[in-house]
Amino acid sequence: MQIRALMYFDELVRTNSMRQAAENLNVAPTAISRQIENLESHFGAPLVERSSRGVKLTAAGELLAAHAGRTLRELDHVQQLIEDLKGLQHGHVSIYANGATLTSVLAPVLAEFSLKYPKLRFTVTISSARQAVDAVSSAEADIAVTLFAPVMSGTKVRLRSEIAYDLIVAPQHPAAAQPDISLRKLADYPLALPEHSFGFRQAFDALIEKEGLNLDPVFVTSSIEMLKELVLSGAAATLLPALAVRREIEADQLRAIPLAGKTGIRTHVDLCVAPDRQLSFAAATLVGFIENFMRQRTGIKG
Protein backbone atom coordinates (compact mmCIF):
# COMPACT_ATOMS: atom_id res chain seq x y z
CA MET A 1 0.00 0.00 0.00
CA GLN A 2 1.42 3.41 -0.99
CA ILE A 3 1.38 6.47 1.25
CA ARG A 4 -0.06 8.44 -1.66
CA ALA A 5 -3.18 6.27 -1.69
CA LEU A 6 -3.71 6.94 2.01
CA MET A 7 -3.21 10.69 1.47
CA TYR A 8 -5.79 10.72 -1.32
CA PHE A 9 -8.26 8.77 0.79
CA ASP A 10 -7.77 11.12 3.75
CA GLU A 11 -8.44 14.16 1.55
CA LEU A 12 -11.54 12.50 0.09
CA VAL A 13 -12.86 11.86 3.59
CA ARG A 14 -12.18 15.47 4.57
CA THR A 15 -13.88 17.00 1.51
CA ASN A 16 -16.54 14.34 0.81
CA SER A 17 -16.06 15.07 -2.90
CA MET A 18 -13.89 13.46 -5.58
CA ARG A 19 -13.76 16.76 -7.49
CA GLN A 20 -12.84 18.89 -4.47
CA ALA A 21 -10.24 16.39 -3.26
CA ALA A 22 -8.69 16.36 -6.72
CA GLU A 23 -8.57 20.17 -6.84
CA ASN A 24 -6.98 20.37 -3.39
CA LEU A 25 -4.33 17.81 -4.34
CA ASN A 26 -3.87 19.28 -7.84
CA VAL A 27 -4.55 15.95 -9.57
CA ALA A 28 -7.25 14.60 -11.88
CA PRO A 29 -10.38 13.07 -10.27
CA THR A 30 -9.47 9.79 -12.00
CA ALA A 31 -6.25 9.74 -9.97
CA ILE A 32 -8.26 9.91 -6.75
CA SER A 33 -10.58 7.14 -7.96
CA ARG A 34 -7.65 4.95 -8.98
CA GLN A 35 -5.93 5.27 -5.59
CA ILE A 36 -9.19 4.47 -3.77
CA GLU A 37 -9.50 1.35 -5.91
CA ASN A 38 -5.92 0.41 -4.96
CA LEU A 39 -6.84 0.71 -1.28
CA GLU A 40 -9.99 -1.36 -1.77
CA SER A 41 -7.92 -4.03 -3.51
CA HIS A 42 -5.35 -3.95 -0.70
CA PHE A 43 -7.92 -4.32 2.07
CA GLY A 44 -10.24 -6.58 0.11
CA ALA A 45 -13.33 -4.51 0.92
CA PRO A 46 -15.19 -1.53 -0.57
CA LEU A 47 -14.36 1.72 1.22
CA VAL A 48 -16.72 4.26 -0.39
CA GLU A 49 -20.10 4.35 -2.06
CA ARG A 50 -20.36 6.93 -4.86
CA SER A 51 -23.51 8.91 -5.65
CA SER A 52 -24.57 12.21 -7.20
CA ARG A 53 -24.48 13.76 -3.71
CA GLY A 54 -20.87 12.82 -3.10
CA VAL A 55 -19.29 9.84 -1.44
CA LYS A 56 -20.37 7.84 1.58
CA LEU A 57 -17.99 5.71 3.59
CA THR A 58 -18.73 2.04 4.08
CA ALA A 59 -18.14 0.40 7.46
CA ALA A 60 -14.62 -0.53 6.30
CA GLY A 61 -14.11 3.04 5.06
CA GLU A 62 -15.16 4.47 8.42
CA LEU A 63 -12.64 2.21 10.14
CA LEU A 64 -9.83 3.27 7.83
CA ALA A 65 -10.78 6.95 8.11
CA ALA A 66 -10.52 6.76 11.89
CA HIS A 67 -6.85 5.76 11.60
CA ALA A 68 -5.65 7.28 8.32
CA GLY A 69 -5.32 10.86 9.59
CA ARG A 70 -3.26 9.89 12.61
CA THR A 71 -1.08 7.56 10.52
CA LEU A 72 -0.25 10.38 8.12
CA ARG A 73 0.49 12.79 10.98
CA GLU A 74 2.81 10.23 12.54
CA LEU A 75 4.61 9.82 9.22
CA ASP A 76 5.06 13.59 9.01
CA HIS A 77 6.46 13.46 12.53
CA VAL A 78 8.93 10.72 11.57
CA GLN A 79 9.99 12.83 8.58
CA GLN A 80 10.75 15.69 10.96
CA LEU A 81 12.80 13.39 13.22
CA ILE A 82 14.79 12.21 10.21
CA GLU A 83 15.47 15.82 9.26
CA ASP A 84 16.66 16.39 12.81
CA LEU A 85 19.15 13.52 12.41
CA LYS A 86 20.58 15.33 9.40
CA GLY A 87 21.23 18.33 11.60
CA LEU A 88 18.60 20.54 9.98
CA GLN A 89 17.31 22.82 12.70
CA HIS A 90 14.09 23.84 11.04
CA GLY A 91 10.63 22.40 11.36
CA HIS A 92 7.06 22.98 12.44
CA VAL A 93 5.37 22.83 15.84
CA SER A 94 1.61 22.47 16.32
CA ILE A 95 0.36 23.96 19.59
CA TYR A 96 -3.12 23.90 21.10
CA ALA A 97 -3.98 26.32 23.90
CA ASN A 98 -7.00 27.60 25.80
CA GLY A 99 -8.09 30.55 27.88
CA ALA A 100 -5.63 33.10 29.18
CA THR A 101 -2.65 30.85 28.37
CA LEU A 102 -2.41 32.53 24.97
CA THR A 103 -1.50 35.95 26.33
CA SER A 104 0.03 34.86 29.63
CA VAL A 105 2.35 32.13 28.34
CA LEU A 106 2.32 31.42 24.62
CA ALA A 107 2.48 34.88 23.06
CA PRO A 108 5.51 36.09 25.04
CA VAL A 109 7.23 32.69 24.75
CA LEU A 110 6.80 32.41 20.98
CA ALA A 111 7.79 36.02 20.41
CA GLU A 112 11.12 35.44 22.16
CA PHE A 113 11.61 31.88 20.91
CA SER A 114 11.09 32.72 17.22
CA LEU A 115 13.82 35.37 17.40
CA LYS A 116 16.25 32.72 18.62
CA TYR A 117 15.11 30.07 16.10
CA PRO A 118 13.93 32.00 13.01
CA LYS A 119 13.78 28.88 10.80
CA LEU A 120 11.06 27.22 12.89
CA ARG A 121 7.36 27.60 12.09
CA PHE A 122 4.37 27.39 14.43
CA THR A 123 0.64 26.78 14.21
CA VAL A 124 -1.33 27.87 17.29
CA THR A 125 -4.92 26.64 17.63
CA ILE A 126 -7.17 28.14 20.31
CA SER A 127 -9.59 25.59 21.71
CA SER A 128 -11.16 24.29 24.89
CA ALA A 129 -8.94 22.51 27.41
CA ARG A 130 -10.46 19.15 26.50
CA GLN A 131 -9.95 19.72 22.77
CA ALA A 132 -6.33 20.68 23.40
CA VAL A 133 -5.66 17.51 25.39
CA ASP A 134 -7.46 15.42 22.74
CA ALA A 135 -5.29 17.01 20.04
CA VAL A 136 -2.10 15.89 21.79
CA SER A 137 -3.49 12.40 22.31
CA SER A 138 -4.49 12.07 18.63
CA ALA A 139 -1.16 13.49 17.36
CA GLU A 140 -2.82 16.63 15.93
CA ALA A 141 -0.74 18.72 18.33
CA ASP A 142 2.83 18.42 19.59
CA ILE A 143 2.13 20.52 22.68
CA ALA A 144 -0.90 21.67 24.67
CA VAL A 145 -0.86 24.58 27.12
CA THR A 146 -4.08 24.57 29.12
CA LEU A 147 -5.99 26.00 32.05
CA PHE A 148 -8.33 23.63 33.92
CA ALA A 149 -7.46 20.67 31.67
CA PRO A 150 -9.31 17.43 32.45
CA VAL A 151 -7.27 14.40 33.50
CA MET A 152 -7.11 12.14 30.46
CA SER A 153 -5.05 9.19 29.30
CA GLY A 154 -2.83 9.72 26.29
CA THR A 155 -1.13 12.85 27.61
CA LYS A 156 1.69 13.62 30.02
CA VAL A 157 1.89 16.80 32.08
CA ARG A 158 5.49 17.99 31.70
CA LEU A 159 5.01 20.93 34.04
CA ARG A 160 2.18 22.29 36.16
CA SER A 161 2.26 25.90 37.30
CA GLU A 162 -0.20 27.47 39.73
CA ILE A 163 -1.48 30.94 38.88
CA ALA A 164 -3.62 33.28 40.99
CA TYR A 165 -6.48 35.38 39.64
CA ASP A 166 -6.51 39.06 40.60
CA LEU A 167 -9.01 41.85 40.16
CA ILE A 168 -7.89 43.72 37.04
CA VAL A 169 -8.82 47.41 36.91
CA ALA A 170 -7.88 50.61 35.12
CA PRO A 171 -5.59 53.03 37.04
CA GLN A 172 -8.49 55.44 37.63
CA HIS A 173 -10.73 52.71 39.13
CA PRO A 174 -11.75 53.25 42.79
CA ALA A 175 -10.06 49.98 43.80
CA ALA A 176 -6.80 50.67 41.96
CA ALA A 177 -4.95 51.98 45.03
CA GLN A 178 -6.09 49.22 47.42
CA PRO A 179 -3.55 46.57 48.53
CA ASP A 180 -6.20 43.86 48.21
CA ILE A 181 -9.95 43.45 47.85
CA SER A 182 -12.58 41.17 49.39
CA LEU A 183 -15.07 39.13 47.41
CA ARG A 184 -17.92 41.03 49.03
CA LYS A 185 -16.48 44.34 47.84
CA LEU A 186 -16.56 43.13 44.22
CA ALA A 187 -20.35 43.59 44.27
CA ASP A 188 -19.80 47.37 44.42
CA TYR A 189 -18.25 47.50 40.95
CA PRO A 190 -19.42 46.66 37.40
CA LEU A 191 -17.80 43.35 36.46
CA ALA A 192 -16.92 41.67 33.17
CA LEU A 193 -16.52 37.91 33.52
CA PRO A 194 -15.82 34.93 31.25
CA GLU A 195 -18.85 32.87 30.23
CA HIS A 196 -19.90 29.79 32.22
CA SER A 197 -18.04 27.32 29.99
CA PHE A 198 -14.71 28.67 31.33
CA GLY A 199 -13.22 26.61 34.15
CA PHE A 200 -12.33 29.78 36.04
CA ARG A 201 -15.94 31.01 35.90
CA GLN A 202 -17.19 27.71 37.30
CA ALA A 203 -14.68 27.89 40.18
CA PHE A 204 -15.54 31.56 40.77
CA ASP A 205 -19.29 30.90 40.86
CA ALA A 206 -18.77 28.02 43.31
CA LEU A 207 -16.73 30.30 45.58
CA ILE A 208 -19.33 33.09 45.41
CA GLU A 209 -22.09 30.62 46.29
CA LYS A 210 -20.03 29.25 49.19
CA GLU A 211 -19.58 32.77 50.55
CA GLY A 212 -23.33 33.42 50.25
CA LEU A 213 -22.87 36.30 47.81
CA ASN A 214 -24.82 37.30 44.72
CA LEU A 215 -22.82 38.98 41.97
CA ASP A 216 -24.47 40.15 38.75
CA PRO A 217 -21.80 40.84 36.09
CA VAL A 218 -22.60 43.56 33.58
CA PHE A 219 -20.68 41.82 30.80
CA VAL A 220 -20.22 38.11 30.06
CA THR A 221 -18.02 37.08 27.13
CA SER A 222 -15.94 34.21 25.78
CA SER A 223 -13.21 36.62 24.63
CA ILE A 224 -10.24 37.36 26.89
CA GLU A 225 -9.37 40.30 24.64
CA MET A 226 -12.82 41.79 25.11
CA LEU A 227 -12.47 41.49 28.89
CA LYS A 228 -9.23 43.46 28.68
CA GLU A 229 -10.74 46.12 26.41
CA LEU A 230 -13.72 46.62 28.74
CA VAL A 231 -11.34 47.18 31.63
CA LEU A 232 -9.03 49.47 29.63
CA SER A 233 -12.03 51.61 28.70
CA GLY A 234 -13.09 51.90 32.36
CA ALA A 235 -16.44 50.21 31.72
CA ALA A 236 -15.80 47.33 34.12
CA ALA A 237 -13.32 45.39 36.24
CA THR A 238 -12.51 41.74 35.60
CA LEU A 239 -10.66 38.79 37.11
CA LEU A 240 -7.63 37.43 35.26
CA PRO A 241 -4.14 36.18 36.05
CA ALA A 242 -1.78 39.14 36.22
CA LEU A 243 0.39 37.36 33.65
CA ALA A 244 -2.42 37.69 31.12
CA VAL A 245 -2.15 41.49 31.26
CA ARG A 246 1.54 41.79 32.14
CA ARG A 247 2.29 44.15 29.24
CA GLU A 248 -0.58 46.50 30.17
CA ILE A 249 0.47 46.46 33.85
CA GLU A 250 4.07 47.33 32.95
CA ALA A 251 2.76 50.20 30.81
CA ASP A 252 0.61 51.38 33.76
CA GLN A 253 -2.54 50.88 31.73
CA LEU A 254 -3.96 48.30 34.15
CA ARG A 255 -3.55 47.36 37.81
CA ALA A 256 -3.81 43.90 39.43
CA ILE A 257 -5.38 43.84 42.91
CA PRO A 258 -5.05 40.54 44.86
CA LEU A 259 -8.15 39.04 46.43
CA ALA A 260 -8.01 39.38 50.22
CA GLY A 261 -7.42 36.52 52.64
CA LYS A 262 -7.61 32.89 51.60
CA THR A 263 -10.63 33.34 49.36
CA GLY A 264 -8.63 33.80 46.17
CA ILE A 265 -8.89 31.58 43.12
CA ARG A 266 -5.81 29.72 41.97
CA THR A 267 -5.72 27.66 38.79
CA HIS A 268 -3.10 25.46 37.23
CA VAL A 269 -1.52 25.85 33.82
CA ASP A 270 -0.44 22.52 32.35
CA LEU A 271 2.20 21.96 29.70
CA CYS A 272 1.19 18.65 28.06
CA VAL A 273 2.81 16.30 25.57
CA ALA A 274 2.16 12.74 24.42
CA PRO A 275 3.87 10.25 26.78
CA ASP A 276 4.91 7.78 24.06
CA ARG A 277 5.81 10.13 21.23
CA GLN A 278 9.33 11.45 20.66
CA LEU A 279 9.30 15.19 20.10
CA SER A 280 11.05 16.70 17.10
CA PHE A 281 13.96 19.08 17.62
CA ALA A 282 11.64 22.05 17.15
CA ALA A 283 8.96 20.80 19.56
CA ALA A 284 11.43 19.55 22.20
CA THR A 285 13.34 22.84 22.19
CA LEU A 286 10.12 24.82 22.50
CA VAL A 287 8.90 22.64 25.39
CA GLY A 288 12.12 23.35 27.29
CA PHE A 289 11.75 27.06 26.55
CA ILE A 290 8.17 27.09 27.86
CA GLU A 291 9.22 25.19 30.99
CA ASN A 292 11.90 27.77 31.77
CA PHE A 293 9.46 30.62 31.15
CA MET A 294 6.81 29.15 33.45
CA ARG A 295 9.34 28.54 36.23
CA GLN A 296 10.77 32.05 36.01
CA ARG A 297 7.39 33.80 35.90
CA THR A 298 5.62 31.77 38.56
CA GLY A 299 8.48 30.86 40.87
CA ILE A 300 7.84 27.10 40.77
CA LYS A 301 10.72 24.71 41.27
CA GLY A 302 11.70 21.34 39.93
Side-chain angles (χ1 to χ4, degrees), residues 199-266:
F200 158 75
R201 180 62 189 278
Q202 295 165 22
F204 179 75
D205 287 349
L207 181 59
I208 292 299
E209 183 178 356
K210 180 181 177 181
E211 296 292 322
L213 302 176
N214 182 24
L215 296 182
D216 182 23
V218 177
F219 305 99
V220 176
T221 177
S222 62
S223 168
I224 301 298
E225 286 303 313
M226 185 171 183
L227 291 176
K228 289 167 56 175
E229 289 300 322
L230 288 168
V231 178
L232 285 167
S233 69
T238 191
L239 289 141
L240 285 172
L243 272 176
V245 290
R246 178 176 59 88
R247 183 171 54 188
E248 289 82 0
I249 290 174
E250 291 175 349
D252 199 32
Q253 296 175 322
L254 293 176
R255 304 276 174 84
I257 315 301
L259 295 181
K262 298 181 180 180
T263 58
I265 299 174
R266 304 186 72 85

Side-chain angles (χ1 to χ4, degrees), residues 152-213:
M152 295 178 64
S153 60
T155 59
K156 173 185 177 183
V157 177
R158 281 284 296 261
L159 188 68
R160 172 166 288 179
S161 172
E162 192 176 64
I163 292 180
Y165 278 69
D166 297 324
L167 180 69
I168 307 300
V169 299
Q172 65 273 20
H173 192 276
Q178 298 182 26
D180 56 32
I181 190 166
S182 67
L183 284 175
R184 188 170 299 277
K185 189 66 176 176
L186 294 183
D188 295 342
Y189 307 120
L191 291 178
L193 295 178
E195 65 179 19
H196 295 280
S197 63
F198 281 61
F200 158 75
R201 180 62 189 278
Q202 295 165 22
F204 179 75
D205 287 349
L207 181 59
I208 292 299
E209 183 178 356
K210 180 181 177 181
E211 296 292 322
L213 302 176

Side-chain angles (χ1 to χ4, degrees), residues 70 133-139 151-156 272-276:
R70 175 162 187 160
V133 173
D134 282 340
V136 169
S137 180
S138 64
V151 177
M152 295 178 64
S153 60
T155 59
K156 173 185 177 183
C272 302
V273 297
D276 56 352

Side-chain angles (χ1 to χ4, degrees), residues 20-36:
Q20 189 61 55
E23 288 183 5
N24 292 351
L25 294 168
N26 197 28
V27 298
T30 54
I32 302 288
S33 182
R34 186 166 55 251
Q35 293 297 345
I36 300 303

